[in-house]
Amino acid sequence: VRLVESGGGSVQAGGSLRLSCAASGYTVINYSLAWFRQAPGEEREAVATIDAYDRPAYADSLKGRFTISKDNYRNTLYLQMNSLKPEASAMYFCAARDRRGASASIKFADYEYWGQGSQVTGSS
């Protein structure tokens, strides 16, 4: 299983970025996936999850600005980030569960597969 993130970069406050996570050796259909982020010196935190039925959930502070989605044909997970704030700067990771139908979770320990991360840097 391999998850490869892309799409990170530097963006000014109020700007947008879309992260992608391409999966190989794994199918995103009927599996729960998530985006996490980790800033230096901080714990890894859940940004958004999408369950096996494609139902999204978001951290409260990000609702309305971030959108998680899956493209089953491209076997890719996305995170659309709008109205970015400088405090959004972090390494963003996609994560996947290894059991079909397993529920989405905000706990990083519940995810068996991880990408290498994509850096997002916001500036004011």
Side-chain angles (χ1 to χ4, degrees):
V1 175
R2 189 174 183 216
L3 303 176
V4 179
E5 298 98 334
S6 61
S10 298
V11 61
Q12 288 190 326
S16 298
L17 281 175
R18 187 177 79 158
L19 301 180
S20 300
C21 173
S24 57
Y26 182 90
T27 175
V28 300
I29 299 174
N30 298 138
Y31 285 85
S32 293
L33 297 97
W35 287 98
F36 286 77
R37 67 184 180 186
Q38 188 169 21
E42 302 290 331
E43 291 187 355
R44 191 167 297 191
E45 63 175 355
V47 172
T49 65
I50 187 164
D51 71 6
Y53 303 97
D54 291 351
R55 295 175 299 196
Y58 302 94
D60 287 343
S61 62
L62 303 175
K63 287 179 181 177
R65 296 191 294 116
F66 285 23
T67 303
I68 188 171
S69 62
K70 283 192 283 182
D71 184 327
N72 294 331
Y73 179 76
R74 290 182 172 82
N75 212 32
T76 299
L77 177 72
Y78 298 101
L79 183 68
Q80 178 67 43
M81 304 183 290
N82 297 329
S83 303
L84 279 165
K85 301 179 181 180
E87 53 264 37
S89 297
M91 186 72 79
Y92 284 71
F93 301 89
C94 64
R97 301 203 70 174
D98 72 348
R99 182 169 61 85
R100 184 186 296 271
S103 60
S105 171
I106 62 171
K107 299 178 182 178
F108 65 81
D110 286 340
Y111 292 84
E112 288 75 23
Y113 305 118
W114 290 85
Q116 82 288 350
S118 184
Q119 180 68 41
V120 172
T121 303
S123 60
S124 57

